[in-house]
Amino acid sequence: MPTVSVIIPTHNRSAVLKRTLDALAQQNYPLSEMEVIVAADGCTDDTSEMLKAYQAPYTLKVIEQPSQGPAVARNQGAALALAPLLIFLDDDIEASPGFVAAHVQTHQKQANQVVLGYLPTILKAQTGFFRITLRGWWEAMFQRMRQPGYRFAYCDLLSGNFSVSADLFAAVGKFDPQFRCHEDYELGMRLLQAKAKFTFAEAAMGYHHELTDLDRSLRRKYQEGKADVQLGQKYPELKPTLLVSTMIARCSWVDRMALIVIFKMPALGDLLAKGLRRSLDLLEWMRLRSYWRTLLDRLLGYWYLRGIAEASSTQQALTTFLQGSRPVSSPNLLDIEIDLKAGLAQAECRLEQERPTGVRLHYGKQIIGRIPAIPGTERLHAAHLRPTLATTLAPALIPALVLDKAVNVTNSSPQVTYELPAQPSQSPELVYVN
């Protein structure tokens, strides 16, 4: 019986897929305890022949299905899995030798986890400004996850490299096959609702051989616009977190003009967008990077709104879609009160047990502040408290300690020290791919 199932959806990328299978053969985890399940989604190249001939040192299972999208392919793979732990891996990711072991070991530390692996990007097909921008976007995403006390959001779930127990995956209902894009975000939302903990495991590393180019990233943005309407319809509380809400709220004259063209004259808008796309090449040739970046963001925004419009049908429907959404930080969600005078350890214990959406902190009668409830982010737990006190709430924490006479001031030294009982503490950017 395998202890871990690696599930790989694929579509017409046999050479890339073979490299991924070869990397899994080099794992330092016992290969006899691994099974790899490839879900071939509407492949018309030689993927089937390659898989039939492939000599795998682990159990290799293959599912072939007509083109139904990655969500269905992953669900089919999970249905065939026998192991209690599922690792979802994209076909263009070359796993490091410790990849599987890192996923398994992280899950052994606590239950009800979703483990997100690191994906350093290998860029070969991309050149120039786009290459620099794409690499920066990928690394910025993982840099956020490395920060102590980072509060994960639904959009941190990247289906290319994550693991979850088979029981939890089944309990939340697997991937929603209605989503052809951002199906991972949608699953991330349901996992957070189930109070799963997201953990970033740097050692669960796989090299992402990124194949996208600038034109593909623009097409992807169109699909993301359509998917965001789906997300907002299914989870109205997420509407304020969607890029479309930010863009409409910002509503510069450029955005207003773009919306008029998109809804009233889409053919003209597409023609202009394609012409401006050619201008990017000229700006790069002239080495005008700031202008290049501004124009790229405008084009990404245009195709994103084009997808929004496609899913909304009319501008009035889009207005209706955006109405009635709750603010990002809602006092109506489940806040609790915690008095830090009882000690940090006790406060952390309460957060771990109750998993509130938000918390109001005070020290005796002195108010420190609030860690707000934010729709689409994980519920609070112990690991969030100390980093927040040391950063965001530090300006309020120190005066509260002083006013509560918890500060020891010695006449011999002008330095002020403070102590807590118990233990010492320790412009929206457009994205390109996921």
Side-chain angles (χ1 to χ4, degrees):
M1 181 71 74
T3 57
V4 58
S5 299
V6 182
I7 299 165
I8 307 171
T10 189
H11 176 71
N12 285 348
R13 295 202 286 197
S14 65
V16 172
L17 174 62
K18 183 176 183 304
R19 180 177 57 207
T20 299
L21 296 176
D22 290 345
L24 290 173
Q26 303 301 316
Q27 294 297 296
N28 55 28
Y29 192 79
L31 298 182
S32 60
E33 297 184 24
M34 281 175 48
E35 67 173 4
V36 176
I37 302 170
V38 176
D41 182 46
C43 291
T44 55
D45 64 352
D46 62 342
T47 295
S48 180
E49 290 73 20
M50 185 277 289
L51 289 169
K52 289 175 182 173
Y54 192 79
Q55 299 295 313
Y58 42 73
T59 299
L60 177 62
K61 300 177 180 177
V62 178
I63 306 168
E64 294 188 67
Q65 63 177 37
S67 181
Q68 298 178 69
V72 174
R74 293 188 180 98
N75 286 344
Q76 294 275 31
L80 196 63
L82 296 177
L85 180 63
L86 309 177
I87 300 177
F88 291 93
L89 181 67
D90 276 357
D91 62 3
D92 57 356
I93 294 172
E94 184 179 2
S96 64
F99 172 84
V100 172
H103 272 286
V104 173
Q105 290 165 5
T106 306
H107 278 278
Q108 289 172 343
K109 294 176 182 176
Q110 59 179 320
N112 205 41
Q113 278 195 102
V114 176
V115 176
L116 313 174
Y118 178 39
L119 292 171
T121 305
I122 295 177
L123 303 175
K124 291 183 179 178
Q126 303 80 6
T127 59
F129 293 159
F130 182 67
R131 179 189 178 99
I132 297 170
T133 305
L134 187 59
R135 186 184 297 283
W137 176 79
W138 273 103
E139 286 304 318
M141 177 172 53
F142 292 111
Q143 185 59 28
R144 289 197 299 272
M145 299 186 195
R146 293 187 181 100
Q147 302 309 307
Y150 175 69
R151 195 171 179 183
F152 287 90
Y154 70 98
C155 51
D156 288 319
L157 185 71
L158 304 178
S159 55
N161 178 8
F162 83 99
S163 58
V164 62
S165 74
D167 287 343
L168 179 56
F169 183 68
V172 299
K174 308 178 181 180
F175 284 97
D176 185 340
Q178 299 301 315
F179 283 75
R180 288 292 189 115
C181 177
H182 281 177
E183 71 279 3
D184 40 9
Y185 289 10
E186 194 282 329
L187 177 65
M189 185 64 183
R190 280 182 285 128
L191 287 165
L192 290 176
Q193 288 176 334
K195 299 184 181 181
K197 278 186 181 178
F198 283 19
T199 301
F200 175 60
E202 185 116 19
M205 182 178 71
Y207 296 99
H208 181 206
H209 293 265
E210 177 62 85
L211 301 174
T212 197
D213 58 18
L214 199 155
D215 292 312
R216 185 172 177 230
S217 73
L218 294 174
R219 293 194 296 273
R220 168 77 180 185
K221 215 64 197 168
Y222 171 79
Q223 297 298 332
E224 289 180 0
K226 295 172 66 176
D228 273 4
V229 174
Q230 279 184 284
L231 276 172
Q233 290 171 338
K234 188 168 184 177
Y235 305 103
E237 68 270 29
L238 289 185
K239 290 180 185 177
T241 73
L242 301 176
L243 179 59
V244 61
S245 296
T246 305
M247 294 179 73
I248 297 300
R250 181 179 61 194
C251 207
S252 66
W253 69 269
V254 175
D255 295 325
R256 288 195 294 271
M257 289 295 296
L259 280 173
I260 292 172
V261 171
I262 285 170
F263 279 101
K264 303 295 184 184
M265 299 171 283
L268 175 61
D270 292 357
L271 188 64
L272 290 172
K274 290 173 182 175
L276 289 172
R277 161 65 186 92
R278 301 277 76 84
S279 299
L280 286 173
D281 298 333
L282 177 62
L283 291 173
E284 178 151 3
W285 180 77
M286 297 172 71
R287 311 307 294 169
L288 297 173
R289 186 175 173 185
S290 62
Y291 291 103
W292 179 93
R293 180 57 193 262
T294 299
L295 180 55
L296 175 62
D297 283 345
R298 290 296 183 191
L299 287 171
L300 288 166
Y302 173 82
W303 288 112
Y304 174 79
L305 289 176
R306 190 75 167 79
I308 292 284
E310 181 72 20
S312 303
S313 300
T314 66
Q315 196 163 357
Q316 180 57 45
L318 173 59
T319 301
T320 302
F321 170 78
L322 293 174
Q323 285 176 345
S325 58
R326 290 182 295 184
V328 173
S329 178
S330 170
N332 297 324
L333 298 178
L334 300 176
D335 276 16
I336 64 172
E337 299 278 346
I338 289 184
D339 185 354
L340 293 178
K341 202 166 187 176
L344 277 177
Q346 185 169 324
E348 289 170 332
C349 185
R350 277 197 67 191
L351 289 176
E352 201 67 26
Q353 291 176 346
E354 300 184 35
R355 299 295 309 276
T357 55
V359 60
R360 292 182 176 84
L361 298 168
H362 53 94
Y363 191 91
K365 295 181 179 179
Q366 308 302 322
I367 296 173
I368 295 175
R370 178 169 174 251
I371 305 176
I374 303 175
T377 61
E378 63 181 340
R379 287 170 175 254
L380 295 171
H381 55 78
H384 294 127
L385 183 59
R386 295 184 191 230
T388 306
L389 289 174
T391 54
T392 309
L393 294 180
L397 174 62
I398 296 173
L401 292 169
V402 173
L403 292 171
D404 202 79
K405 300 181 180 179
V407 173
N408 297 320
V409 182
T410 64
N411 293 329
S412 58
S413 171
Q415 184 177 8
V416 177
T417 62
Y418 64 93
E419 59 185 19
L420 289 170
Q423 300 178 32
S425 68
Q426 54 174 305
S427 107
E429 184 179 12
L430 292 167
V431 297
Y432 298 89
V433 293
N434 70 358

